[in-house]
Amino acid sequence: ARLGIRLLTRTTRSVSPTSAGERLLASVGSRFEEIESELAALSELRDKPAGTLRITAGEHAAYTVLQPALAKFLPAYPDIKVEIHVDYGFVDIVAHQYDAGVRAGEQVAKDMIAVRIGPDMRMAVVGAPSYLERHPPPLPRKPQDLTEHSCINLRLPTYGGLYAWEFEKGKRELHVRVDGQLVFNTLRQRLEAALAGLGLAYMPEDVALPHIAVGSLVRVLEDWCAPFPGYHLYYPSRRQTSPAFAVLVDALRYRQP
């Protein structure tokens, strides 16, 4: 378009104008520079990071990784909006029109691009002193001992069933299906129930540690809770990256301390 304006300007000025042509040139000629300026501004706006980005993530990732990063990121990019949908299910991000998803590294599909956005993680099995005092079974020493305890379960919508607690020690890996009186689908509910002495709970270590430090929760089976790959942002390899998405990925990228 800019080239067309230049050519039109050059052509108009190279021909000997009639009186009518002189009037037309005097009327619109000065506007060509204004149009070029507007086109330059539009081009700059097009390349400026802007738009709405939609991300699906689990509750823990949303609170501990995404929100702290966005608190620093968003003020620098006022034209970018971010929508976070908290979901424990393994959502098809393409079918549901999400720009990206967040999951633990080991849960990311192989056909996706995965960008690490958090450190390695550990899980913890915890219970309140009041629960442990009321229940005669001794403290669990191996994952199978959990079947003797009342455990607070998590229901995963993707599978429609209860989550099997995952343990690892050396080369041994165990998935234990526990039982109890309570089933929740959020981390906050499980934490509150554990603090109230309603059973043992399985949760991210960083959530439990402040309560362990003050004695409101007791940790068990620590030697069976091995580190595993932390959170990754994932998106389709065929996705065409927009300026807004590119700067967000860079802001979320985990950098080893």
Side-chain angles (χ1 to χ4, degrees), residues 110-156:
K110 301 300 182 183
D111 60 341
M112 294 283 174
I113 294 176
V115 178
R116 186 184 179 96
I117 62 173
D120 283 352
M121 297 171 55
R122 290 183 73 189
M123 301 299 287
V125 179
V126 294
S130 59
Y131 165 79
L132 297 172
E133 290 168 3
R134 291 196 314 269
H135 289 74
L139 291 178
R141 297 187 181 279
K142 56 184 183 299
Q144 295 91 329
D145 294 341
L146 292 170
T147 57
E148 302 297 324
H149 283 266
S150 178
C151 296
I152 301 165
N153 259 307
L154 166 68
R155 185 173 295 281
L156 293 176

mmCIF file of all heavy atoms in Angstrom, residues 110-156:
data_model
loop_
_atom_site.group_PDB
_atom_site.id
_atom_site.type_symbol
_atom_site.label_atom_id
_atom_site.label_comp_id
_atom_site.label_asym_id
_atom_site.label_seq_id
_atom_site.Cartn_x
_atom_site.Cartn_y
_atom_site.Cartn_z
ATOM 1 N N LYS A 110 3.738 -36.397 23.797
ATOM 2 C CA LYS A 110 4.969 -36.351 23.013
ATOM 3 C C LYS A 110 4.868 -35.445 21.790
ATOM 4 O O LYS A 110 5.876 -34.967 21.279
ATOM 5 C CB LYS A 110 5.360 -37.765 22.574
ATOM 6 C CG LYS A 110 5.586 -38.737 23.727
ATOM 7 C CD LYS A 110 6.694 -38.265 24.653
ATOM 8 C CE LYS A 110 6.935 -39.283 25.768
ATOM 9 N NZ LYS A 110 7.962 -38.800 26.730
ATOM 10 N N ASP A 111 3.650 -35.208 21.286
ATOM 11 C CA ASP A 111 3.524 -34.395 20.080
ATOM 12 C C ASP A 111 3.392 -32.905 20.392
ATOM 13 O O ASP A 111 3.059 -32.113 19.523
ATOM 14 C CB ASP A 111 2.319 -34.863 19.249
ATOM 15 C CG ASP A 111 1.013 -34.751 20.030
ATOM 16 O OD1 ASP A 111 1.067 -34.661 21.266
ATOM 17 O OD2 ASP A 111 -0.055 -34.760 19.381
ATOM 18 N N MET A 112 3.662 -32.529 21.625
ATOM 19 C CA MET A 112 3.561 -31.139 22.041
ATOM 20 C C MET A 112 4.947 -30.550 22.285
ATOM 21 O O MET A 112 5.887 -31.252 22.655
ATOM 22 C CB MET A 112 2.741 -31.021 23.329
ATOM 23 C CG MET A 112 1.282 -31.407 23.187
ATOM 24 S SD MET A 112 0.331 -30.092 22.374
ATOM 25 C CE MET A 112 -1.269 -30.908 22.185
ATOM 26 N N ILE A 113 5.063 -29.251 22.090
ATOM 27 C CA ILE A 113 6.258 -28.537 22.523
ATOM 28 C C ILE A 113 6.100 -28.247 24.009
ATOM 29 O O ILE A 113 5.062 -27.755 24.444
ATOM 30 C CB ILE A 113 6.433 -27.223 21.742
ATOM 31 C CG1 ILE A 113 6.717 -27.517 20.265
ATOM 32 C CG2 ILE A 113 7.552 -26.377 22.341
ATOM 33 C CD1 ILE A 113 6.801 -26.287 19.405
ATOM 34 N N ALA A 114 7.089 -28.587 24.805
ATOM 35 C CA ALA A 114 7.020 -28.395 26.252
ATOM 36 C C ALA A 114 8.132 -27.460 26.704
ATOM 37 O O ALA A 114 9.300 -27.646 26.342
ATOM 38 C CB ALA A 114 7.142 -29.734 26.974
ATOM 39 N N VAL A 115 7.764 -26.457 27.466
ATOM 40 C CA VAL A 115 8.721 -25.484 28.000
ATOM 41 C C VAL A 115 8.665 -25.549 29.523
ATOM 42 O O VAL A 115 7.603 -25.347 30.116
ATOM 43 C CB VAL A 115 8.387 -24.056 27.519
ATOM 44 C CG1 VAL A 115 9.356 -23.044 28.133
ATOM 45 C CG2 VAL A 115 8.418 -23.975 26.002
ATOM 46 N N ARG A 116 9.765 -25.822 30.129
ATOM 47 C CA ARG A 116 9.811 -25.933 31.596
ATOM 48 C C ARG A 116 9.551 -24.573 32.233
ATOM 49 O O ARG A 116 10.201 -23.580 31.888
ATOM 50 C CB ARG A 116 11.171 -26.471 32.023
ATOM 51 C CG ARG A 116 11.305 -26.773 33.517
ATOM 52 C CD ARG A 116 12.742 -27.194 33.808
ATOM 53 N NE ARG A 116 12.961 -27.485 35.215
ATOM 54 C CZ ARG A 116 12.923 -28.695 35.753
ATOM 55 N NH1 ARG A 116 12.656 -29.739 34.983
ATOM 56 N NH2 ARG A 116 13.139 -28.878 37.032
ATOM 57 N N ILE A 117 8.599 -24.532 33.180
ATOM 58 C CA ILE A 117 8.270 -23.262 33.830
ATOM 59 C C ILE A 117 8.394 -23.333 35.352
ATOM 60 O O ILE A 117 8.074 -22.359 36.041
ATOM 61 C CB ILE A 117 6.856 -22.779 33.439
ATOM 62 C CG1 ILE A 117 5.781 -23.781 33.892
ATOM 63 C CG2 ILE A 117 6.764 -22.528 31.951
ATOM 64 C CD1 ILE A 117 4.354 -23.281 33.677
ATOM 65 N N GLY A 118 8.856 -24.459 35.879
ATOM 66 C CA GLY A 118 8.992 -24.581 37.322
ATOM 67 C C GLY A 118 10.047 -25.591 37.702
ATOM 68 O O GLY A 118 10.458 -26.421 36.882
ATOM 69 N N PRO A 119 10.525 -25.571 38.954
ATOM 70 C CA PRO A 119 11.554 -26.517 39.412
ATOM 71 C C PRO A 119 10.971 -27.904 39.610
ATOM 72 O O PRO A 119 9.755 -28.116 39.510
ATOM 73 C CB PRO A 119 11.991 -25.911 40.749
ATOM 74 C CG PRO A 119 10.760 -25.213 41.244
ATOM 75 C CD PRO A 119 10.083 -24.656 40.021
ATOM 76 N N ASP A 120 11.843 -28.869 39.891
ATOM 77 C CA ASP A 120 11.365 -30.210 40.243
ATOM 78 C C ASP A 120 10.455 -30.135 41.464
ATOM 79 O O ASP A 120 10.550 -29.207 42.277
ATOM 80 C CB ASP A 120 12.552 -31.134 40.552
ATOM 81 C CG ASP A 120 13.262 -31.601 39.299
ATOM 82 O OD1 ASP A 120 12.747 -31.340 38.197
ATOM 83 O OD2 ASP A 120 14.343 -32.209 39.425
ATOM 84 N N MET A 121 9.557 -31.101 41.570
ATOM 85 C CA MET A 121 8.578 -31.115 42.646
ATOM 86 C C MET A 121 8.669 -32.404 43.454
ATOM 87 O O MET A 121 9.248 -33.394 43.000
ATOM 88 C CB MET A 121 7.161 -30.986 42.072
ATOM 89 C CG MET A 121 6.889 -29.700 41.339
ATOM 90 S SD MET A 121 5.298 -29.767 40.491
ATOM 91 C CE MET A 121 4.191 -30.190 41.843
ATOM 92 N N ARG A 122 8.078 -32.384 44.647
ATOM 93 C CA ARG A 122 7.895 -33.594 45.453
ATOM 94 C C ARG A 122 6.491 -33.548 46.031
ATOM 95 O O ARG A 122 5.913 -32.479 46.216
ATOM 96 C CB ARG A 122 8.898 -33.666 46.594
ATOM 97 C CG ARG A 122 10.336 -33.912 46.178
ATOM 98 C CD ARG A 122 11.222 -34.044 47.402
ATOM 99 N NE ARG A 122 11.013 -35.314 48.087
ATOM 100 C CZ ARG A 122 11.526 -35.601 49.273
ATOM 101 N NH1 ARG A 122 12.275 -34.717 49.915
ATOM 102 N NH2 ARG A 122 11.304 -36.777 49.842
ATOM 103 N N MET A 123 5.958 -34.722 46.319
ATOM 104 C CA MET A 123 4.688 -34.818 47.006
ATOM 105 C C MET A 123 4.936 -35.173 48.470
ATOM 106 O O MET A 123 6.043 -35.580 48.849
ATOM 107 C CB MET A 123 3.799 -35.874 46.355
ATOM 108 C CG MET A 123 3.486 -35.605 44.881
ATOM 109 S SD MET A 123 2.602 -34.054 44.594
ATOM 110 C CE MET A 123 0.967 -34.500 45.204
ATOM 111 N N ALA A 124 3.917 -35.006 49.291
ATOM 112 C CA ALA A 124 4.033 -35.329 50.713
ATOM 113 C C ALA A 124 2.734 -35.964 51.194
ATOM 114 O O ALA A 124 1.643 -35.559 50.775
ATOM 115 C CB ALA A 124 4.338 -34.066 51.520
ATOM 116 N N VAL A 125 2.859 -36.955 52.067
ATOM 117 C CA VAL A 125 1.703 -37.544 52.746
ATOM 118 C C VAL A 125 1.693 -36.974 54.158
ATOM 119 O O VAL A 125 2.676 -37.115 54.902
ATOM 120 C CB VAL A 125 1.784 -39.078 52.789
ATOM 121 C CG1 VAL A 125 0.571 -39.653 53.516
ATOM 122 C CG2 VAL A 125 1.882 -39.648 51.376
ATOM 123 N N VAL A 126 0.604 -36.333 54.527
ATOM 124 C CA VAL A 126 0.551 -35.629 55.810
ATOM 125 C C VAL A 126 -0.765 -35.899 56.538
ATOM 126 O O VAL A 126 -1.782 -36.216 55.925
ATOM 127 C CB VAL A 126 0.716 -34.105 55.612
ATOM 128 C CG1 VAL A 126 2.109 -33.764 55.098
ATOM 129 C CG2 VAL A 126 -0.344 -33.571 54.651
ATOM 130 N N GLY A 127 -0.706 -35.737 57.841
ATOM 131 C CA GLY A 127 -1.897 -35.845 58.676
ATOM 132 C C GLY A 127 -1.724 -34.989 59.912
ATOM 133 O O GLY A 127 -0.595 -34.695 60.328
ATOM 134 N N ALA A 128 -2.810 -34.565 60.498
ATOM 135 C CA ALA A 128 -2.760 -33.753 61.715
ATOM 136 C C ALA A 128 -2.441 -34.635 62.921
ATOM 137 O O ALA A 128 -2.804 -35.812 62.963
ATOM 138 C CB ALA A 128 -4.097 -33.047 61.920
ATOM 139 N N PRO A 129 -1.754 -34.078 63.922
ATOM 140 C CA PRO A 129 -1.502 -34.850 65.151
ATOM 141 C C PRO A 129 -2.789 -35.396 65.766
ATOM 142 O O PRO A 129 -2.796 -36.513 66.303
ATOM 143 C CB PRO A 129 -0.835 -33.818 66.064
ATOM 144 C CG PRO A 129 -0.176 -32.852 65.126
ATOM 145 C CD PRO A 129 -1.110 -32.756 63.955
ATOM 146 N N SER A 130 -3.872 -34.636 65.653
ATOM 147 C CA SER A 130 -5.145 -35.103 66.230
ATOM 148 C C SER A 130 -5.638 -36.365 65.543
ATOM 149 O O SER A 130 -6.199 -37.264 66.187
ATOM 150 C CB SER A 130 -6.202 -34.005 66.121
ATOM 151 O OG SER A 130 -6.409 -33.637 64.761
ATOM 152 N N TYR A 131 -5.436 -36.484 64.233
ATOM 153 C CA TYR A 131 -5.836 -37.704 63.524
ATOM 154 C C TYR A 131 -4.974 -38.884 63.987
ATOM 155 O O TYR A 131 -5.482 -39.977 64.267
ATOM 156 C CB TYR A 131 -5.705 -37.529 62.009
ATOM 157 C CG TYR A 131 -5.752 -38.848 61.275
ATOM 158 C CD1 TYR A 131 -6.965 -39.487 61.041
ATOM 159 C CD2 TYR A 131 -4.574 -39.496 60.881
ATOM 160 C CE1 TYR A 131 -7.008 -40.742 60.425
ATOM 161 C CE2 TYR A 131 -4.606 -40.735 60.262
ATOM 162 C CZ TYR A 131 -5.829 -41.351 60.036
ATOM 163 O OH TYR A 131 -5.867 -42.586 59.440
ATOM 164 N N LEU A 132 -3.671 -38.671 64.033
ATOM 165 C CA LEU A 132 -2.757 -39.760 64.387
ATOM 166 C C LEU A 132 -2.980 -40.246 65.813
ATOM 167 O O LEU A 132 -2.765 -41.422 66.119
ATOM 168 C CB LEU A 132 -1.315 -39.295 64.185
ATOM 169 C CG LEU A 132 -0.958 -38.951 62.725
ATOM 170 C CD1 LEU A 132 0.419 -38.320 62.647
ATOM 171 C CD2 LEU A 132 -1.022 -40.188 61.842
ATOM 172 N N GLU A 133 -3.405 -39.356 66.694
ATOM 173 C CA GLU A 133 -3.674 -39.745 68.083
ATOM 174 C C GLU A 133 -4.942 -40.585 68.201
ATOM 175 O O GLU A 133 -5.048 -41.446 69.081
ATOM 176 C CB GLU A 133 -3.797 -38.497 68.962
ATOM 177 C CG GLU A 133 -2.482 -37.763 69.167
ATOM 178 C CD GLU A 133 -2.687 -36.393 69.798
ATOM 179 O OE1 GLU A 133 -3.858 -36.058 70.127
ATOM 180 O OE2 GLU A 133 -1.702 -35.643 69.945
ATOM 181 N N ARG A 134 -5.913 -40.322 67.318
ATOM 182 C CA ARG A 134 -7.206 -41.021 67.411
ATOM 183 C C ARG A 134 -7.202 -42.394 66.753
ATOM 184 O O ARG A 134 -8.114 -43.182 66.957
ATOM 185 C CB ARG A 134 -8.318 -40.180 66.769
ATOM 186 C CG ARG A 134 -8.677 -38.923 67.507
ATOM 187 C CD ARG A 134 -10.026 -38.380 67.019
ATOM 188 N NE ARG A 134 -10.144 -38.358 65.573
ATOM 189 C CZ ARG A 134 -9.801 -37.302 64.820
ATOM 190 N NH1 ARG A 134 -9.286 -36.228 65.390
ATOM 191 N NH2 ARG A 134 -9.956 -37.345 63.515
ATOM 192 N N HIS A 135 -6.229 -42.673 65.889
ATOM 193 C CA HIS A 135 -6.255 -43.916 65.121
ATOM 194 C C HIS A 135 -5.145 -44.850 65.587
ATOM 195 O O HIS A 135 -3.954 -44.515 65.536
ATOM 196 C CB HIS A 135 -6.112 -43.605 63.621
ATOM 197 C CG HIS A 135 -7.344 -42.963 63.049
ATOM 198 N ND1 HIS A 135 -7.663 -41.653 63.301
ATOM 199 C CD2 HIS A 135 -8.350 -43.462 62.287
ATOM 200 C CE1 HIS A 135 -8.796 -41.349 62.695
ATOM 201 N NE2 HIS A 135 -9.241 -42.430 62.083
ATOM 202 N N PRO A 136 -5.541 -46.023 66.029
ATOM 203 C CA PRO A 136 -4.570 -46.961 66.593
ATOM 204 C C PRO A 136 -3.503 -47.475 65.636
ATOM 205 O O PRO A 136 -2.409 -47.801 66.097
ATOM 206 C CB PRO A 136 -5.462 -48.115 67.092
ATOM 207 C CG PRO A 136 -6.754 -47.978 66.362
ATOM 208 C CD PRO A 136 -6.925 -46.514 66.113
ATOM 209 N N PRO A 137 -3.742 -47.578 64.299
ATOM 210 C CA PRO A 137 -2.657 -48.099 63.462
ATOM 211 C C PRO A 137 -1.406 -47.237 63.597
ATOM 212 O O PRO A 137 -1.495 -46.012 63.724
ATOM 213 C CB PRO A 137 -3.228 -48.002 62.037
ATOM 214 C CG PRO A 137 -4.701 -48.038 62.229
ATOM 215 C CD PRO A 137 -4.949 -47.305 63.513
ATOM 216 N N PRO A 138 -0.217 -47.864 63.593
ATOM 217 C CA PRO A 138 1.023 -47.085 63.691
ATOM 218 C C PRO A 138 1.227 -46.228 62.440
ATOM 219 O O PRO A 138 0.535 -46.398 61.436
ATOM 220 C CB PRO A 138 2.106 -48.166 63.804
ATOM 221 C CG PRO A 138 1.495 -49.359 63.136
ATOM 222 C CD PRO A 138 0.029 -49.294 63.439
ATOM 223 N N LEU A 139 2.176 -45.328 62.517
ATOM 224 C CA LEU A 139 2.488 -44.490 61.356
ATOM 225 C C LEU A 139 2.869 -45.376 60.167
ATOM 226 O O LEU A 139 3.604 -46.362 60.330
ATOM 227 C CB LEU A 139 3.648 -43.549 61.679
ATOM 228 C CG LEU A 139 3.391 -42.436 62.678
ATOM 229 C CD1 LEU A 139 4.666 -41.638 62.903
ATOM 230 C CD2 LEU A 139 2.270 -41.522 62.204
ATOM 231 N N PRO A 140 2.385 -45.033 58.966
ATOM 232 C CA PRO A 140 2.746 -45.838 57.786
ATOM 233 C C PRO A 140 4.252 -45.821 57.555
ATOM 234 O O PRO A 140 4.879 -44.757 57.579
ATOM 235 C CB PRO A 140 2.005 -45.129 56.645
ATOM 236 C CG PRO A 140 0.932 -44.330 57.302
ATOM 237 C CD PRO A 140 1.473 -43.935 58.624
ATOM 238 N N ARG A 141 4.819 -47.003 57.328
ATOM 239 C CA ARG A 141 6.253 -47.110 57.037
ATOM 240 C C ARG A 141 6.495 -47.473 55.586
ATOM 241 O O ARG A 141 7.599 -47.301 55.081
ATOM 242 C CB ARG A 141 6.897 -48.146 57.964
ATOM 243 C CG ARG A 141 6.822 -47.750 59.438
ATOM 244 C CD ARG A 141 7.605 -48.708 60.310
ATOM 245 N NE ARG A 141 7.515 -48.327 61.710
ATOM 246 C CZ ARG A 141 8.253 -47.379 62.290
ATOM 247 N NH1 ARG A 141 9.153 -46.733 61.566
ATOM 248 N NH2 ARG A 141 8.111 -47.097 63.563
ATOM 249 N N LYS A 142 5.479 -47.983 54.940
ATOM 250 C CA LYS A 142 5.538 -48.274 53.506
ATOM 251 C C LYS A 142 4.178 -47.926 52.912
ATOM 252 O O LYS A 142 3.160 -47.895 53.629
ATOM 253 C CB LYS A 142 5.909 -49.732 53.254
ATOM 254 C CG LYS A 142 5.019 -50.758 53.902
ATOM 255 C CD LYS A 142 5.562 -52.146 53.650
ATOM 256 C CE LYS A 142 4.645 -53.233 54.238
ATOM 257 N NZ LYS A 142 4.485 -53.114 55.706
ATOM 258 N N PRO A 143 4.108 -47.623 51.598
ATOM 259 C CA PRO A 143 2.843 -47.180 50.997
ATOM 260 C C PRO A 143 1.671 -48.125 51.239
ATOM 261 O O PRO A 143 0.536 -47.676 51.409
ATOM 262 C CB PRO A 143 3.187 -47.083 49.506
ATOM 263 C CG PRO A 143 4.643 -46.781 49.481
ATOM 264 C CD PRO A 143 5.223 -47.556 50.634
ATOM 265 N N GLN A 144 1.919 -49.434 51.291
ATOM 266 C CA GLN A 144 0.825 -50.385 51.483
ATOM 267 C C GLN A 144 0.131 -50.196 52.840
ATOM 268 O O GLN A 144 -1.028 -50.567 53.006
ATOM 269 C CB GLN A 144 1.352 -51.818 51.367
ATOM 270 C CG GLN A 144 1.880 -52.181 49.973
ATOM 271 C CD GLN A 144 3.366 -51.890 49.828
ATOM 272 O OE1 GLN A 144 3.890 -50.964 50.449
ATOM 273 N NE2 GLN A 144 4.042 -52.677 48.999
ATOM 274 N N ASP A 145 0.835 -49.599 53.802
ATOM 275 C CA ASP A 145 0.246 -49.380 55.129
ATOM 276 C C ASP A 145 -0.888 -48.361 55.094
ATOM 277 O O ASP A 145 -1.680 -48.270 56.043
ATOM 278 C CB ASP A 145 1.322 -48.896 56.106
ATOM 279 C CG ASP A 145 2.375 -49.961 56.381
ATOM 280 O OD1 ASP A 145 2.099 -51.151 56.130
ATOM 281 O OD2 ASP A 145 3.476 -49.584 56.840
ATOM 282 N N LEU A 146 -0.982 -47.610 54.027
ATOM 283 C CA LEU A 146 -2.039 -46.602 53.916
ATOM 284 C C LEU A 146 -3.427 -47.237 53.884
ATOM 285 O O LEU A 146 -4.421 -46.577 54.198
ATOM 286 C CB LEU A 146 -1.839 -45.754 52.654
ATOM 287 C CG LEU A 146 -0.612 -44.831 52.670
ATOM 288 C CD1 LEU A 146 -0.393 -44.242 51.275
ATOM 289 C CD2 LEU A 146 -0.788 -43.719 53.696
ATOM 290 N N THR A 147 -3.507 -48.498 53.510
ATOM 291 C CA THR A 147 -4.815 -49.159 53.457
ATOM 292 C C THR A 147 -5.418 -49.330 54.853
ATOM 293 O O THR A 147 -6.615 -49.592 54.993
ATOM 294 C CB THR A 147 -4.694 -50.546 52.783
ATOM 295 O OG1 THR A 147 -3.738 -51.342 53.494
ATOM 296 C CG2 THR A 147 -4.235 -50.380 51.334
ATOM 297 N N GLU A 148 -4.603 -49.146 55.886
ATOM 298 C CA GLU A 148 -5.085 -49.235 57.264
ATOM 299 C C GLU A 148 -5.525 -47.875 57.813
ATOM 300 O O GLU A 148 -5.939 -47.772 58.958
ATOM 301 C CB GLU A 148 -3.981 -49.809 58.163
ATOM 302 C CG GLU A 148 -3.488 -51.183 57.751
ATOM 303 C CD GLU A 148 -4.593 -52.233 57.843
ATOM 304 O OE1 GLU A 148 -5.422 -52.136 58.784
ATOM 305 O OE2 GLU A 148 -4.637 -53.129 56.979
ATOM 306 N N HIS A 149 -5.427 -46.854 56.974
ATOM 307 C CA HIS A 149 -5.739 -45.494 57.428
ATOM 308 C C HIS A 149 -6.891 -44.886 56.626
ATOM 309 O O HIS A 149 -7.194 -45.327 55.506
ATOM 310 C CB HIS A 149 -4.504 -44.603 57.276
ATOM 311 C CG HIS A 149 -3.478 -44.826 58.343
ATOM 312 N ND1 HIS A 149 -3.419 -44.080 59.490
ATOM 313 C CD2 HIS A 149 -2.471 -45.739 58.430
ATOM 314 C CE1 HIS A 149 -2.412 -44.500 60.238
ATOM 315 N NE2 HIS A 149 -1.826 -45.512 59.615
ATOM 316 N N SER A 150 -7.494 -43.878 57.213
ATOM 317 C CA SER A 150 -8.510 -43.097 56.507
ATOM 318 C C SER A 150 -7.792 -42.025 55.698
ATOM 319 O O SER A 150 -7.090 -41.173 56.263
ATOM 320 C CB SER A 150 -9.467 -42.439 57.509
ATOM 321 O OG SER A 150 -10.428 -41.653 56.832
ATOM 322 N N CYS A 151 -7.943 -42.082 54.388
ATOM 323 C CA CYS A 151 -7.225 -41.155 53.504
ATOM 324 C C CYS A 151 -8.203 -40.244 52.772
ATOM 325 O O CYS A 151 -9.332 -40.634 52.466
ATOM 326 C CB CYS A 151 -6.377 -41.932 52.507
ATOM 327 S SG CYS A 151 -5.061 -42.914 53.277
ATOM 328 N N ILE A 152 -7.747 -39.066 52.501
ATOM 329 C CA ILE A 152 -8.570 -38.054 51.813
ATOM 330 C C ILE A 152 -8.293 -38.163 50.324
ATOM 331 O O ILE A 152 -7.178 -37.888 49.860
ATOM 332 C CB ILE A 152 -8.237 -36.654 52.343
ATOM 333 C CG1 ILE A 152 -8.492 -36.595 53.849
ATOM 334 C CG2 ILE A 152 -9.054 -35.594 51.608
ATOM 335 C CD1 ILE A 152 -7.860 -35.400 54.538
ATOM 336 N N ASN A 153 -9.310 -38.548 49.564
ATOM 337 C CA ASN A 153 -9.117 -38.866 48.157
ATOM 338 C C ASN A 153 -9.313 -37.661 47.228
ATOM 339 O O ASN A 153 -9.966 -36.675 47.579
ATOM 340 C CB ASN A 153 -10.083 -39.976 47.739
ATOM 341 C CG ASN A 153 -9.400 -41.332 47.682
ATOM 342 O OD1 ASN A 153 -8.374 -41.479 47.030
ATOM 343 N ND2 ASN A 153 -9.968 -42.327 48.368
ATOM 344 N N LEU A 154 -8.758 -37.805 46.033
ATOM 345 C CA LEU A 154 -8.899 -36.821 44.953
ATOM 346 C C LEU A 154 -9.549 -37.497 43.756
ATOM 347 O O LEU A 154 -9.097 -38.559 43.322
ATOM 348 C CB LEU A 154 -7.522 -36.272 44.548
ATOM 349 C CG LEU A 154 -7.440 -35.495 43.222
ATOM 350 C CD1 LEU A 154 -8.204 -34.176 43.330
ATOM 351 C CD2 LEU A 154 -5.984 -35.240 42.842
ATOM 352 N N ARG A 155 -10.609 -36.884 43.244
ATOM 353 C CA ARG A 155 -11.247 -37.426 42.047
ATOM 354 C C ARG A 155 -10.772 -36.658 40.820
ATOM 355 O O ARG A 155 -10.807 -35.424 40.785
ATOM 356 C CB ARG A 155 -12.773 -37.337 42.136
ATOM 357 C CG ARG A 155 -13.469 -38.024 40.942
ATOM 358 C CD ARG A 155 -14.981 -38.074 41.110
ATOM 359 N NE ARG A 155 -15.401 -38.891 42.233
ATOM 360 C CZ ARG A 155 -15.463 -40.215 42.211
ATOM 361 N NH1 ARG A 155 -15.118 -40.889 41.125
ATOM 362 N NH2 ARG A 155 -15.861 -40.884 43.280
ATOM 363 N N LEU A 156 -10.309 -37.396 39.819
ATOM 364 C CA LEU A 156 -9.842 -36.788 38.576
ATOM 365 C C LEU A 156 -10.921 -36.901 37.513
ATOM 366 O O LEU A 156 -11.360 -38.010 37.191
ATOM 367 C CB LEU A 156 -8.562 -37.485 38.092
ATOM 368 C CG LEU A 156 -7.321 -37.290 38.969
ATOM 369 C CD1 LEU A 156 -6.167 -38.107 38.419
ATOM 370 C CD2 LEU A 156 -6.940 -35.822 39.043
#
